[in-house]
Coordinates of all heavy atoms in Angstrom, one line a residue:
M139 N -122.2 -176.6 95.9 CA -121.3 -177.7 95.6 C -121.8 -178.3 94.3 O -121.0 -178.6 93.4 CB -121.3 -178.7 96.8 CG -120.5 -180.0 96.5 SD -121.4 -181.2 95.5 CE -122.5 -181.9 96.7
L140 N -123.1 -178.6 94.2 CA -123.6 -179.1 92.9 C -123.3 -178.2 91.7 O -123.0 -178.7 90.6 CB -125.1 -179.4 93.1 CG -125.4 -180.7 93.9 CD1 -126.9 -180.8 94.1 CD2 -124.8 -182.0 93.3
A141 N -123.5 -177.0 91.9 CA -123.2 -176.0 90.8 C -121.8 -176.1 90.4 O -121.6 -176.1 89.2 CB -123.6 -174.6 91.3
A142 N -120.9 -176.2 91.3 CA -119.5 -176.3 91.0 C -119.2 -177.6 90.3 O -118.5 -177.7 89.2 CB -118.6 -176.1 92.2
T143 N -119.6 -178.7 90.9 CA -119.2 -180.0 90.3 C -119.9 -180.3 89.0 O -119.3 -180.9 88.1 CB -119.5 -181.2 91.3 OG1 -120.9 -181.1 91.6 CG2 -118.7 -181.1 92.5
S144 N -121.1 -179.8 88.8 CA -121.8 -180.0 87.5 C -121.3 -179.1 86.4 O -121.6 -179.3 85.2 CB -123.3 -179.8 87.7 OG -123.6 -178.5 88.0
H145 N -120.4 -178.1 86.8 CA -119.8 -177.2 85.7 C -118.4 -177.3 85.7 O -117.7 -176.5 85.1 CB -120.2 -175.7 86.1 CG -121.7 -175.5 85.8 ND1 -122.7 -175.7 86.7 CD2 -122.3 -175.0 84.7 CE1 -123.9 -175.4 86.2 NE2 -123.7 -175.0 84.9
G146 N -117.9 -178.4 86.2 CA -116.4 -178.7 86.0 C -115.5 -177.8 86.8 O -114.3 -177.6 86.3
I147 N -115.9 -177.3 87.8 CA -115.0 -176.4 88.6 C -114.0 -177.3 89.4 O -114.5 -178.0 90.3 CB -115.8 -175.5 89.6 CG1 -116.8 -174.7 88.8 CG2 -114.8 -174.6 90.4 CD1 -116.2 -173.6 87.9
D148 N -112.7 -177.1 89.1 CA -111.7 -177.8 89.8 C -111.6 -177.3 91.2 O -111.9 -176.1 91.5 CB -110.3 -177.7 89.2 CG -110.3 -178.5 87.8 OD1 -111.0 -179.4 87.7 OD2 -109.5 -178.1 87.0
G149 N -111.3 -178.1 92.2 CA -111.1 -177.7 93.5 C -112.2 -177.9 94.5 O -112.1 -177.7 95.6
I150 N -113.3 -178.4 94.0 CA -114.4 -178.9 94.8 C -114.5 -180.4 94.6 O -115.0 -180.8 93.5 CB -115.8 -178.2 94.5 CG1 -115.7 -176.7 94.7 CG2 -116.9 -178.8 95.3 CD1 -115.6 -176.3 96.1
L151 N -114.0 -181.2 95.5 CA -114.1 -182.7 95.4 C -115.4 -183.2 95.7 O -115.9 -184.2 95.0 CB -112.9 -183.3 96.2 CG -111.5 -182.8 95.9 CD1 -110.5 -183.5 96.7 CD2 -111.2 -182.9 94.4
A152 N -116.0 -182.8 96.8 CA -117.3 -183.3 97.3 C -117.3 -184.9 97.3 O -118.2 -185.5 96.8 CB -118.4 -182.8 96.3
E153 N -116.3 -185.4 98.0 CA -116.2 -186.9 98.1 C -117.4 -187.6 98.7 O -117.7 -188.7 98.4 CB -115.0 -187.2 98.8 CG -113.7 -186.9 98.1 CD -112.4 -187.2 98.8 OE1 -112.5 -187.4 100.0 OE2 -111.4 -187.2 98.2
C154 N -118.2 -186.9 99.5 CA -119.3 -187.6 100.2 C -120.6 -187.3 99.4 O -121.7 -187.7 99.9 CB -119.4 -187.2 101.6 SG -120.1 -185.5 101.9
G155 N -120.5 -186.6 98.4 CA -121.7 -186.3 97.6 C -122.7 -185.3 98.2 O -123.9 -185.3 97.9
G156 N -122.2 -184.5 99.1 CA -123.0 -183.5 99.8 C -123.7 -184.0 101.0 O -124.7 -183.3 101.5
N157 N -123.2 -185.0 101.6 CA -123.8 -185.5 102.9 C -123.2 -185.0 104.1 O -123.4 -185.6 105.2 CB -123.8 -187.1 102.8 CG -124.8 -187.6 101.8 OD1 -125.9 -187.3 101.8 ND2 -124.3 -188.3 100.8
A158 N -122.4 -184.0 104.0 CA -121.8 -183.3 105.2 C -121.0 -184.3 106.0 O -121.1 -184.5 107.2 CB -122.8 -182.7 106.1
M159 N -120.1 -185.0 105.2 CA -119.2 -186.0 105.9 C -117.8 -185.9 105.5 O -116.9 -186.7 106.1 CB -119.7 -187.4 105.5 CG -121.1 -187.7 106.0 SD -121.8 -189.3 105.5 CE -120.6 -190.4 106.2
C160 N -117.4 -185.0 104.6 CA -116.0 -185.1 104.1 C -115.2 -183.8 104.2 O -114.0 -183.8 104.3 CB -116.0 -185.6 102.7 SG -116.6 -184.4 101.4
A161 N -115.9 -182.7 104.1 CA -115.3 -181.3 104.1 C -114.4 -181.1 102.9 O -113.5 -180.2 102.9 CB -114.5 -181.1 105.4
T162 N -114.6 -181.8 101.8 CA -113.8 -181.5 100.6 C -114.6 -180.6 99.7 O -114.2 -180.5 98.4 CB -113.5 -182.9 99.8 OG1 -114.6 -183.6 99.5 CG2 -112.6 -183.8 100.7
C163 N -115.5 -179.9 100.2 CA -116.2 -178.9 99.4 C -116.1 -177.6 100.1 O -116.8 -176.6 99.9 CB -117.7 -179.2 99.3 SG -118.6 -179.3 100.9
H164 N -115.0 -177.4 100.8 CA -114.7 -176.2 101.6 C -114.5 -175.0 100.7 O -113.9 -175.1 99.6 CB -113.4 -176.5 102.3 CG -112.9 -175.4 103.3 ND1 -111.6 -175.4 103.7 CD2 -113.5 -174.3 103.7 CE1 -111.4 -174.4 104.5 NE2 -112.6 -173.7 104.5
V165 N -115.1 -173.9 101.0 CA -115.0 -172.7 100.3 C -114.9 -171.5 101.3 O -115.2 -171.6 102.5 CB -116.2 -172.4 99.4 CG1 -116.3 -173.4 98.3 CG2 -117.5 -172.3 100.2
Y166 N -114.3 -170.4 100.8 CA -114.2 -169.2 101.5 C -115.3 -168.2 100.9 O -115.2 -167.9 99.8 CB -112.9 -168.5 101.5 CG -111.7 -169.4 102.0 CD1 -110.7 -169.8 101.3 CD2 -111.8 -169.9 103.4 CE1 -109.7 -170.5 101.8 CE2 -110.8 -170.7 103.9 CZ -109.7 -171.0 103.1 OH -108.7 -171.8 103.6
V167 N -116.2 -167.7 101.7 CA -117.3 -166.9 101.3 C -116.8 -165.4 101.3 O -116.2 -165.0 102.3 CB -118.6 -167.1 102.2 CG1 -119.6 -166.1 101.7 CG2 -119.0 -168.5 102.2
D168 N -117.0 -164.7 100.3 CA -116.6 -163.3 100.3 C -117.3 -162.6 101.4 O -118.5 -162.8 101.6 CB -117.0 -162.6 98.9 CG -116.5 -161.2 98.8 OD1 -117.2 -160.3 99.3 OD2 -115.4 -161.0 98.3
E169 N -116.6 -161.8 102.1 CA -117.2 -161.2 103.4 C -118.4 -160.4 103.1 O -119.3 -160.4 104.0 CB -116.1 -160.3 104.0 CG -115.0 -161.1 104.7 CD -114.1 -160.3 105.5 OE1 -114.4 -159.1 105.8 OE2 -113.0 -160.8 105.9
S170 N -118.6 -159.9 102.0 CA -119.8 -159.1 101.7 C -121.1 -160.0 101.6 O -122.2 -159.5 101.7 CB -119.7 -158.3 100.4 OG -119.5 -159.2 99.3
W171 N -120.8 -161.3 101.5 CA -122.0 -162.2 101.4 C -122.2 -163.0 102.7 O -123.3 -163.7 102.8 CB -121.7 -163.2 100.2 CG -121.9 -162.6 98.9 CD1 -120.9 -162.0 98.1 CD2 -123.1 -162.5 98.2 NE1 -121.5 -161.6 96.9 CE2 -122.8 -161.9 97.0 CE3 -124.4 -163.0 98.4 CZ2 -123.8 -161.7 96.0 CZ3 -125.4 -162.7 97.4 CH2 -125.1 -162.1 96.2
L172 N -121.3 -162.9 103.6 CA -121.5 -163.8 104.8 C -122.8 -163.6 105.5 O -123.5 -164.6 105.8 CB -120.3 -163.4 105.8 CG -119.1 -164.2 105.7 CD1 -118.1 -163.8 106.8 CD2 -119.3 -165.7 105.7
G173 N -123.3 -162.5 105.6 CA -124.5 -162.2 106.4 C -125.8 -162.6 105.6 O -126.9 -162.7 106.2
R174 N -125.6 -163.0 104.4 CA -126.8 -163.4 103.6 C -127.0 -164.9 103.5 O -127.9 -165.4 103.0 CB -126.7 -162.8 102.2 CG -126.8 -161.3 102.2 CD -126.9 -160.7 100.8 NE -125.7 -160.0 100.5 CZ -125.5 -159.4 99.3 NH1 -126.5 -159.4 98.4 NH2 -124.4 -158.8 99.1
L175 N -126.0 -165.6 104.1 CA -126.1 -167.1 104.1 C -126.8 -167.6 105.3 O -126.8 -166.9 106.4 CB -124.7 -167.7 104.0 CG -123.9 -167.4 102.8 CD1 -122.6 -168.2 102.9 CD2 -124.6 -167.8 101.5
P176 N -127.5 -168.7 105.2 CA -128.1 -169.3 106.3 C -127.1 -169.7 107.4 O -125.9 -169.9 107.0 CB -128.8 -170.5 105.8 CG -128.2 -170.8 104.5 CD -127.7 -169.5 103.9
A177 N -127.5 -169.7 108.6 CA -126.5 -170.0 109.7 C -125.9 -171.4 109.5 O -126.5 -172.3 108.9 CB -127.2 -169.9 111.0
M178 N -124.7 -171.6 110.0 CA -124.0 -172.8 109.9 C -124.6 -173.8 111.0 O -124.8 -173.4 112.1 CB -122.5 -172.6 110.2 CG -121.7 -173.8 110.1 SD -119.9 -173.4 110.6 CE -119.5 -172.0 109.5
G179 N -124.7 -175.0 110.6 CA -125.2 -176.0 111.5 C -124.0 -176.6 112.3 O -122.8 -176.4 111.9
S180 N -124.3 -177.4 113.4 CA -123.2 -177.9 114.2 C -122.4 -178.9 113.5 O -121.2 -179.0 113.7 CB -123.8 -178.5 115.5 OG -124.8 -179.5 115.2
E181 N -123.0 -179.7 112.6 CA -122.2 -180.7 111.8 C -121.2 -180.0 110.9 O -120.1 -180.4 110.8 CB -123.2 -181.6 111.0 CG -123.8 -182.7 111.7 CD -124.6 -183.6 110.7 OE1 -124.6 -183.3 109.5 OE2 -125.2 -184.6 111.2
E182 N -121.7 -179.0 110.2 CA -120.8 -178.3 109.3 C -119.7 -177.6 110.1 O -118.5 -177.7 109.7 CB -121.6 -177.2 108.6 CG -120.8 -176.4 107.6 CD -121.5 -175.3 106.9 OE1 -122.8 -175.2 107.1 OE2 -120.9 -174.6 106.1
D183 N -120.0 -177.1 111.3 CA -119.0 -176.4 112.1 C -118.0 -177.4 112.5 O -116.8 -177.2 112.4 CB -119.7 -175.8 113.3 CG -118.8 -174.9 114.1 OD1 -117.8 -174.5 113.6 OD2 -119.2 -174.7 115.3
A184 N -118.3 -178.5 112.9 CA -117.4 -179.6 113.4 C -116.5 -180.1 112.2 O -115.3 -180.3 112.4 CB -118.2 -180.8 114.0
L185 N -117.2 -180.3 111.0 CA -116.4 -180.8 109.9 C -115.4 -179.8 109.4 O -114.3 -180.1 109.0 CB -117.3 -181.0 108.7 CG -117.9 -182.5 108.7 CD1 -119.0 -182.6 107.6 CD2 -116.8 -183.5 108.4
L186 N -115.7 -178.5 109.5 CA -114.7 -177.5 109.1 C -113.5 -177.5 109.9 O -112.4 -177.1 109.4 CB -115.4 -176.1 109.1 CG -116.3 -175.8 107.8 CD1 -117.1 -174.6 108.1 CD2 -115.4 -175.6 106.6
D187 N -113.6 -177.9 111.1 CA -112.4 -178.0 112.0 C -111.4 -179.0 111.4 O -110.2 -179.0 111.7 CB -112.8 -178.4 113.4 CG -113.4 -177.2 114.2 OD1 -113.2 -176.1 113.8 OD2 -114.0 -177.5 115.2
G188 N -111.9 -180.0 110.6 CA -111.0 -181.0 110.1 C -110.7 -180.8 108.6 O -110.1 -181.6 108.0
A189 N -111.1 -179.6 108.1 CA -110.8 -179.4 106.7 C -109.3 -179.3 106.4 O -108.5 -179.0 107.3 CB -111.4 -178.0 106.3
A190 N -108.9 -179.8 105.2 CA -107.4 -179.8 104.9 C -106.8 -178.4 104.9 O -105.7 -178.3 105.3 CB -107.3 -180.5 103.5
A191 N -107.5 -177.5 104.3 CA -106.9 -176.1 104.3 C -107.3 -175.3 105.5 O -108.2 -175.7 106.3 CB -107.4 -175.4 103.0
E192 N -106.6 -174.2 105.7 CA -106.8 -173.4 106.9 C -108.3 -173.0 107.0 O -108.9 -172.6 106.0 CB -106.0 -172.1 106.7 CG -106.3 -171.0 107.6 CD -105.8 -169.6 107.2 OE1 -105.3 -169.5 106.1 OE2 -105.7 -168.7 108.1
R193 N -108.8 -173.2 108.2 CA -110.2 -172.7 108.4 C -110.2 -171.2 108.7 O -109.3 -170.7 109.5 CB -110.9 -173.4 109.6 CG -112.3 -172.9 109.8 CD -113.0 -173.7 110.9 NE -114.3 -173.2 111.1 CZ -115.3 -173.7 111.8 NH1 -115.0 -174.8 112.4 NH2 -116.5 -173.2 111.9
R194 N -111.0 -170.4 108.1 CA -111.1 -169.0 108.3 C -112.5 -168.6 108.8 O -113.4 -169.4 108.7 CB -110.8 -168.2 107.0 CG -109.4 -168.6 106.4 CD -109.2 -167.9 105.1 NE -107.9 -168.2 104.5 CZ -107.6 -168.0 103.3 NH1 -108.4 -167.3 102.5 NH2 -106.4 -168.3 102.8
P195 N -112.7 -167.4 109.3 CA -114.0 -167.0 109.7 C -115.0 -167.0 108.5 O -116.3 -167.1 108.8 CB -113.8 -165.5 110.2 CG -112.3 -165.5 110.6 CD -111.7 -166.4 109.6
T196 N -114.5 -167.0 107.3 CA -115.4 -167.0 106.2 C -115.6 -168.4 105.6 O -116.2 -168.6 104.5 CB -114.9 -166.1 105.1 OG1 -113.6 -166.6 104.7 CG2 -114.8 -164.7 105.5
S197 N -115.1 -169.4 106.3 CA -115.2 -170.8 105.8 C -116.6 -171.4 105.8 O -117.3 -171.2 106.8 CB -114.3 -171.8 106.5 OG -112.9 -171.5 106.3
R198 N -117.0 -172.1 104.8 CA -118.3 -172.8 104.8 C -118.0 -174.1 103.9 O -117.1 -174.2 103.1 CB -119.4 -172.0 104.2 CG -119.8 -170.8 105.0 CD -120.4 -171.0 106.3 NE -121.6 -171.9 106.2 CZ -122.9 -171.5 106.3 NH1 -123.1 -170.2 106.4 NH2 -123.9 -172.3 106.2
L199 N -118.9 -175.0 104.1 CA -119.0 -176.2 103.2 C -120.0 -175.9 102.2 O -121.2 -175.6 102.5 CB -119.4 -177.4 104.0 CG -118.5 -177.9 105.1 CD1 -119.0 -179.1 105.8 CD2 -117.1 -178.2 104.5
S200 N -119.5 -175.9 100.9 CA -120.4 -175.5 99.9 C -121.6 -176.4 99.7 O -122.7 -175.9 99.2 CB -119.7 -175.4 98.6 OG -119.0 -176.6 98.2
C201 N -121.6 -177.6 100.1 CA -122.7 -178.5 100.0 C -123.8 -178.1 101.0 O -124.9 -178.6 100.8 CB -122.4 -179.9 100.2 SG -121.9 -180.4 101.9
Q202 N -123.5 -177.3 101.9 CA -124.6 -176.8 102.9 C -125.2 -175.5 102.5 O -126.0 -174.9 103.3 CB -123.9 -176.8 104.3 CG -123.4 -178.2 104.7 CD -124.5 -179.3 104.7 OE1 -125.5 -179.2 105.4 NE2 -124.2 -180.3 103.9
I203 N -124.7 -174.9 101.4 CA -125.3 -173.6 100.9 C -126.3 -173.9 99.9 O -125.9 -174.3 98.7 CB -124.1 -172.7 100.4 CG1 -123.1 -172.5 101.5 CG2 -124.8 -171.4 99.9 CD1 -121.8 -171.7 101.0
K204 N -127.5 -173.8 100.1 CA -128.6 -174.0 99.2 C -128.7 -172.7 98.3 O -129.0 -171.6 98.9 CB -129.9 -174.3 99.9 CG -131.0 -174.6 98.9 CD -132.3 -175.0 99.6 CE -133.4 -175.2 98.6 NZ -134.6 -175.7 99.2
L205 N -128.5 -172.8 97.1 CA -128.6 -171.6 96.2 C -130.1 -171.2 96.0 O -130.9 -172.1 95.7 CB -128.0 -171.9 94.8 CG -126.4 -172.0 94.9 CD1 -125.9 -172.2 93.4 CD2 -125.8 -170.8 95.5
T206 N -130.3 -170.0 96.2 CA -131.7 -169.4 96.0 C -131.5 -168.1 95.2 O -130.3 -167.6 95.0 CB -132.3 -169.0 97.4 OG1 -131.5 -168.0 98.0 CG2 -132.4 -170.2 98.3
P207 N -132.5 -167.6 94.7 CA -132.4 -166.3 93.9 C -131.7 -165.2 94.7 O -131.0 -164.4 94.1 CB -133.9 -165.9 93.5 CG -134.5 -167.3 93.5 CD -133.9 -168.1 94.6
D208 N -131.9 -165.2 96.0 CA -131.2 -164.2 96.8 C -129.7 -164.3 96.8 O -129.0 -163.3 97.1 CB -131.7 -164.3 98.3 CG -133.1 -163.9 98.5 OD1 -133.7 -163.2 97.6 OD2 -133.7 -164.2 99.5
L209 N -129.2 -165.5 96.4 CA -127.8 -165.6 96.4 C -127.2 -165.5 95.0 O -126.0 -165.8 94.8 CB -127.4 -167.0 97.0 CG -127.7 -167.2 98.4 CD1 -127.3 -168.6 98.9 CD2 -127.1 -166.1 99.3
D210 N -128.0 -164.9 94.1 CA -127.4 -164.7 92.7 C -126.2 -163.8 92.8 O -126.4 -162.6 93.4 CB -128.5 -164.1 91.8 CG -128.1 -164.0 90.4 OD1 -127.2 -164.6 90.0 OD2 -128.7 -163.1 89.7
G211 N -125.1 -164.2 92.3 CA -123.9 -163.4 92.3 C -123.0 -163.7 93.5 O -121.9 -163.1 93.7
L212 N -123.3 -164.7 94.3 CA -122.5 -165.1 95.4 C -121.1 -165.3 95.0 O -120.8 -166.0 94.0 CB -123.1 -166.4 96.0 CG -122.3 -167.1 97.1 CD1 -122.3 -166.2 98.4 CD2 -122.9 -168.5 97.4
V213 N -120.2 -164.8 95.8 CA -118.7 -164.9 95.5 C -118.1 -165.8 96.5 O -118.2 -165.6 97.7 CB -118.1 -163.5 95.6 CG1 -116.5 -163.7 95.3 CG2 -118.7 -162.6 94.5
L214 N -117.5 -166.9 96.0 CA -116.8 -167.9 96.8 C -115.4 -168.0 96.3 O -115.2 -168.0 95.1 CB -117.5 -169.2 96.7 CG -119.0 -169.3 97.1 CD1 -119.6 -170.7 96.8 CD2 -119.2 -169.0 98.5
R215 N -114.5 -168.3 97.2 CA -113.1 -168.6 96.8 C -112.7 -170.0 97.3 O -113.2 -170.4 98.3 CB -112.1 -167.5 97.3 CG -112.4 -166.2 96.7 CD -111.5 -165.0 97.1 NE -111.8 -163.8 96.4 CZ -112.8 -163.0 96.8 NH1 -113.6 -163.2 97.8 NH2 -113.0 -161.9 96.0
L216 N -111.8 -170.6 96.5 CA -111.4 -171.9 96.9 C -110.2 -171.9 97.7 O -109.3 -171.1 97.5 CB -111.2 -172.7 95.6 CG -112.4 -172.9 94.7 CD1 -112.0 -173.6 93.4 CD2 -113.5 -173.7 95.4
P217 N -110.1 -172.9 98.7 CA -108.9 -173.0 99.5 C -107.8 -173.6 98.6 O -108.0 -174.1 97.5 CB -109.3 -174.0 100.5 CG -110.4 -174.8 100.0 CD -111.1 -173.8 99.1
D218 N -106.5 -173.7 99.1 CA -105.5 -174.2 98.2 C -105.4 -175.7 98.1 O -104.7 -176.2 97.2 CB -104.1 -173.7 98.8 CG -103.8 -174.2 100.2 OD1 -104.7 -174.8 100.9 OD2 -102.7 -173.8 100.7
R219 N -106.2 -176.4 98.9 CA -106.3 -177.8 98.8 C -107.6 -178.3 99.5 O -108.1 -177.6 100.4 CB -105.1 -178.5 99.4 CG -104.9 -178.3 100.9 CD -103.6 -178.8 101.4 NE -103.5 -178.6 102.9 CZ -103.2 -177.5 103.5 NH1 -103.0 -176.4 102.7 NH2 -103.0 -177.4 104.8
Q220 N -108.0 -179.5 99.2 CA -109.2 -180.1 99.8 C -108.9 -181.4 100.5 O -109.7 -181.8 101.3 CB -110.3 -180.4 98.8 CG -110.9 -179.1 98.1 CD -111.8 -178.3 99.0 OE1 -112.0 -178.5 100.2 NE2 -112.4 -177.3 98.4
V221 N -107.7 -181.9 100.2 CA -107.3 -183.1 100.9 C -105.8 -183.0 101.4 O -105.1 -182.2 100.8 CB -107.4 -184.4 100.1 CG1 -108.9 -184.7 99.9 CG2 -106.7 -184.3 98.8
Ligands
LIG657 S1 -119.5 -182.6 99.9 FE1 -118.8 -183.7 101.6 S2 -119.1 -182.3 103.2 FE2 -119.7 -181.2 101.4

């Protein structure tokens, strides 16, 4: 989320500033990367149920994805809306 907002990527609103309270940082993770991300927490899981756009099996909240060197090249797609 921070990488997107600090580089002017439209489509990531991050209204709560990354505090796992808004779901406006919803992204779809490319399937080839799903297994390399840390497991989803219960708060993230619950928030995704209320995301504005369709929730998919690849949905995550980008504020809950901590970028590490292992995630270099991570492919994410944006939903059609965040609110
Ligand atoms: S920025 Fe609000 S849940 Fe991610």
Side-chain angles (χ1 to χ4, degrees):
M139 178 278 284
L140 284 175
T143 57
S144 66
H145 288 86
I147 303 295
D148 289 335
I150 299 289
L151 302 182
E153 290 179 344
C154 76
N157 290 303
M159 295 174 63
C160 71
T162 62
C163 63
H164 182 195
V165 293
Y166 300 124
V167 178
D168 188 273
E169 289 190 13
S170 66
W171 286 90
L172 267 183
R174 293 189 250 181
L175 295 183
M178 182 185 306
S180 59
E181 279 186 359
E182 181 180 359
D183 190 19
L185 271 172
L186 280 167
D187 285 341
E192 171 194 14
R193 180 175 180 170
R194 300 176 184 169
T196 59
S197 287
R198 294 293 303 258
L199 296 180
S200 58
C201 72
Q202 302 302 300
I203 301 172
K204 182 177 180 178
L205 289 181
T206 63
D208 290 345
L209 295 181
D210 185 23
L212 175 64
V213 176
L214 304 173
R215 294 182 176 82
L216 297 175
D218 60 358
R219 64 188 182 280
Q220 295 287 5
V221 291

